[in-house]
Amino acid sequence: MADAEPGTAAAVPAPPTRRATELRRLLEIVALCGLVVAQPLLDVVGRSPDFFLFHGAGTAEILLLVAFYVVVPPLVCWLPGALIGLAGPPVRRTAHLVTVGLLLVALAVQVGKHLLPIRGMSLLAAALLAGAAVTWAYRRWGGLGQLLRLAAVGPAVFVVLFVFTSPASAVVLGSERTSAGPGTATGDGEHPPVVVLILDELPLLSLLGPDGRIDAERYPNFAELAAGSTWYRNATAVSGWTPYALPAMLSGRYPEREVAPHYSQHPDNLFSALGGTYQIRAQESITELCAPSRCEAESATAALPVLFQETAALLGQILSPVESHDDPTASFREPTRRDAGLAGGDVPTDPRFRFDALDDNQPARFTTFIDGLATPDQGPTLHFLHLLMPHAPWSYLPSGVRYEAPEDFPNEGAGWVELARQRHLAQLGYTDGLIGQTLAALRSSGRYDDALLVVTADHGVSFTLGEQGRGMGAVRAAPAEVLWVPTFVKEPGQQAGRVDDRNWEHVDLLPTIAAHAGIDLPFEVDGRCGSCPPRERADKQFRDVPGQPVTVPGPATFAALTTGQAGPPLPAPLVPELVGRAVAELPVTDDGVRATISNADSYTDVDPASGNLPALAYGELPDRVRTGAPLAVAVNGRIATVVPALAPDAEGRRFAALITDESLWRSGDNRVEIFEVVGDGTELRRRTD
């Protein structure tokens, strides 16, 4: 560099303008928000295309959601500092430094959850220290700021990866791949009505009584279905995750790739095969396997506000220093008829299934499905419904009454697993009513005798203590609960029920439907039809991860499967002789130590005719109450159930009880009391006022 001329000052770079400085600050915040918000959020939802499919989100809605989380958080973080900066440059510098520091702490929390075993306050303290150290380094060395500004391109990269390479890209782009085409009609050209109802997260064992048969007292409609159809008792799921299990069922092929449950990824399936001969009325939940060329697009079940609500809750989990064990699919609650704004239909006459008072609680997809069965068919028609019942979240009593439960209620641990199973079985009772409605609709429309009716479930779920869920741990510990699912096929003209114990795997579903419908499949499948020679092997093929088959031993007989597996239909009350007794009949002592009912406000102004009841009582217990102590829960002076005091967890010492006797509730204010059962059950100790 040449020396400056004598008498002139050396050239000094001009300080950046205020506008340039603000631009630099904005770019730094864009980079940090991209790492803290956009990247982790897009990564999770990008790997979960079923999230968008369940909520009926189209391309425009998805892109608006993505744009919001890329653009709005940086502006929200930058704008307050810019406004504060009107007080002067020193204040502005401090405000920006605080913003950068907070974002670095949030980033440190996420990194710490991946690298460190600590959680909660310990992780937050470590993140504060790490964030403070990096903030000090940022303030001292300008190189970190330059690096952040270069990283401002990150959000754009994250969006490109989400749109074009993530599993959700199939939903965003939605291009229709060429399939093998429709199947060829066979035989004399007669094609029966085809009705397919696929339930979700339903172990076969949940339907069985102690004798290994369908429990007709608790599930009369499932028992009626079995009495008139072929029950494939040895039927198993091929995956524990619906986005893999359902495409396998409808394509006849084992899951081999981790792709979206979308027609662009699975072009050869039930809908494409029958679409040349059959009209299709399909109600899908978390798949979109029926291409627009075959099916009319369903109206969206959720507007952008619902998507924002769900993703905001997900972002809260991501940013929290507390580990969340929530199953993301637990948020997949079937929208009710009222949610969807649908008008009421015909009212069933079965008094056990009280839709005369609870009509609004009927799932919207089921309403549309039943309405389709009531509509005359113009030629051969496939009626298809995938219904998320009795899938969690569990919120129905057998009658159809709804109740509320905290979203973060644990399903693991002694006491909690038993409660989860009780709630699952209660919702299964409600699902049994839906089966009854389906049978009634088929009969009233005149379709029942001629129809091919298929009722099954995509997979089960384990309620084994320590291995609750559908992952490989649950498969190894309780395969009978995860793999074996109810599968009923009523053939056209079938009058009497029969049992078939062949080694059925759910890739057999499509070829079985096609054979009865008189359709030759135009593509190869891994399954075999129900009338074809059975498999010689007894073991089962399961794919927790597509392309990675796991062999699970099959039972030699159905009795071998159920022996020692089913357990009691419901956890029995600890002191059953107390249930139904009036509190006034028993001596009650009082030591002044009280429990807290967390949802006490819900017991005022109850309207049993509304279809909603506060049927789940829960709260906190004093330390004096020992773990496992029997607690009598009384409603309006009568004991409804007896449950154990649960072991302490991160939320303290708690109790929870499902109250299934609806007759105990009255209109208006209700009184719920908790008593500790003393001794042999002949005395109570008051635990609430």
Side-chain angles (χ1 to χ4, degrees), residues 1 67 133 221 230 321 324 328 342 351 395 423-424 472 485 490 526 539 625 675:
M1 180 176 179
N221 296 299
T230 302
S324 174
L342 298 178
S395 56
R423 295 175 63 197
H424 156 78
M472 282 308 302
V485 291
K490 190 206 78 66
D526 297 323
D539 57 55
V625 178
F675 301 90

Side-chain angles (χ1 to χ4, degrees), residues 363-622:
R365 286 188 180 88
F366 184 76
T367 297
T368 304
F369 174 69
I370 291 295
D371 289 346
L373 292 179
T375 304
D377 293 337
Q378 302 299 319
T381 303
L382 164 64
H383 300 264
F384 177 89
L385 172 64
H386 171 219
L387 189 67
L388 292 182
M389 288 290 165
H391 191 287
W394 307 296
S395 56
Y396 288 95
L397 297 179
S399 68
V401 164
R402 287 181 67 188
Y403 63 91
E404 297 295 329
E407 292 184 359
D408 61 348
F409 238 29
N411 297 326
E412 299 177 347
W416 293 112
V417 169
E418 289 78 3
L419 176 65
R421 186 163 189 261
Q422 185 181 18
R423 295 175 63 197
H424 156 78
L425 292 173
Q427 190 147 299
L428 177 55
Y430 165 77
T431 307
D432 180 75
L434 301 180
I435 297 297
Q437 267 211 292
T438 302
L439 297 176
L442 285 170
R443 290 193 172 97
S444 64
S445 67
R447 290 187 180 91
Y448 181 83
D449 289 339
D450 296 332
L452 169 65
L453 171 62
V454 177
V455 178
T456 186
D458 58 350
H459 56 72
V461 64
S462 166
F463 292 96
T464 296
L465 184 62
E467 292 294 352
Q468 201 275 332
R470 296 173 270 124
M472 282 308 302
V475 169
R476 295 186 184 96
E481 293 181 85
V482 181
L483 270 69
W484 273 262
V485 291
T487 300
F488 306 97
V489 177
K490 190 206 78 66
E491 302 170 11
Q494 184 173 358
Q495 299 295 323
R498 67 185 184 91
V499 172
D500 190 324
D501 280 341
R502 71 176 59 221
N503 184 5
W504 171 292
E505 296 179 351
H506 256 346
V507 289
D508 300 341
L509 186 68
L510 173 60
T512 299
I513 293 174
H516 287 301
I519 299 294
D520 272 342
L521 295 175
F523 48 84
E524 296 295 324
V525 295
D526 297 323
R528 58 181 66 193
C529 69
S531 58
C532 299
R535 291 181 177 84
E536 295 182 1
R537 60 178 171 83
D539 57 55
K540 301 290 190 174
Q541 294 295 307
F542 188 83
R543 284 162 170 78
D544 185 57
V545 177
Q548 300 180 21
V550 175
T551 299
V552 178
T557 64
F558 184 72
L561 172 70
T562 58
T563 300
Q565 294 276 358
L570 273 176
L574 294 182
V575 191
E577 60 270 19
L578 286 179
V579 176
R581 294 192 63 180
V583 173
E585 299 175 359
L586 299 164
V588 178
T589 60
D590 193 337
D591 61 4
V593 178
R594 296 291 184 254
T596 301
I597 300 178
S598 299
N599 59 333
D601 292 344
S602 65
Y603 300 119
T604 61
D605 197 23
V606 173
D607 180 10
S610 69
N612 295 274
L613 286 174
L616 189 66
Y618 55 94
E620 299 178 5
L621 296 169

Side-chain angles (χ1 to χ4, degrees), residues 33-60:
C33 285
L35 294 171
V36 171
V37 177
Q39 190 280 329
L41 193 65
L42 293 182
D43 177 62
V44 173
V45 297
R47 288 184 282 107
S48 306
D50 47 308
F51 169 79
F52 297 112
L53 296 173
F54 174 76
H55 292 296
T59 300

Side-chain angles (χ1 to χ4, degrees), residues 149-354:
R149 292 190 288 275
L150 289 174
V153 72
V157 174
F158 304 148
V159 171
V160 169
L161 293 175
F162 170 82
V163 171
F164 293 103
T165 68
S166 74
S169 64
V171 184
V172 180
L173 301 177
S175 59
E176 187 170 340
R177 287 173 52 191
T178 302
S179 71
T184 304
T186 62
D188 56 7
E190 292 294 324
H191 302 285
V194 177
V195 181
V196 180
L197 173 54
I198 297 180
L199 303 172
D200 206 298
E201 201 173 71
L202 173 54
L204 172 62
L205 294 180
S206 293
L207 285 174
L208 304 183
D211 59 358
R213 302 186 180 190
I214 304 295
D215 189 333
E217 181 178 351
R218 300 192 61 210
Y219 309 114
N221 296 299
F222 275 106
E224 179 186 352
L225 173 64
S229 63
T230 302
W231 176 16
Y232 291 94
R233 289 194 307 187
N234 195 15
T236 51
V238 297
S239 178
W241 196 38
T242 301
Y244 300 151
L246 199 54
M249 297 167 70
L250 300 189
S251 70
R253 295 168 175 163
Y254 293 111
E256 297 297 344
R257 298 182 300 139
E258 296 187 51
V259 295
H262 192 262
Y263 58 81
S264 65
Q265 306 299 313
H266 303 277
D268 296 324
N269 58 52
L270 171 69
F271 306 115
S272 65
L274 270 62
T277 303
Y278 279 76
Q279 298 183 51
I280 298 175
R281 294 175 179 170
Q283 295 290 318
E284 298 184 75
S285 294
I286 59 177
T287 62
E288 192 175 339
L289 296 170
C290 195
S293 60
R294 302 293 181 192
C295 298
E296 294 183 5
E298 296 182 41
S299 58
T301 58
L304 272 174
V306 177
L307 294 178
F308 283 130
Q309 177 182 345
E310 295 290 340
T311 50
L314 173 61
L315 185 60
Q317 292 182 21
I318 291 171
L319 297 177
S320 172
V322 178
E323 192 74 70
S324 174
H325 297 288
D326 292 344
D327 180 355
T329 61
S331 66
F332 290 170
R333 181 183 69 82
E334 284 285 6
T336 65
R337 177 180 289 178
R338 176 182 292 177
D339 295 337
L342 298 178
D346 294 335
V347 177
T349 57
D350 181 359
R352 179 179 174 276
F353 198 56
R354 299 186 292 108

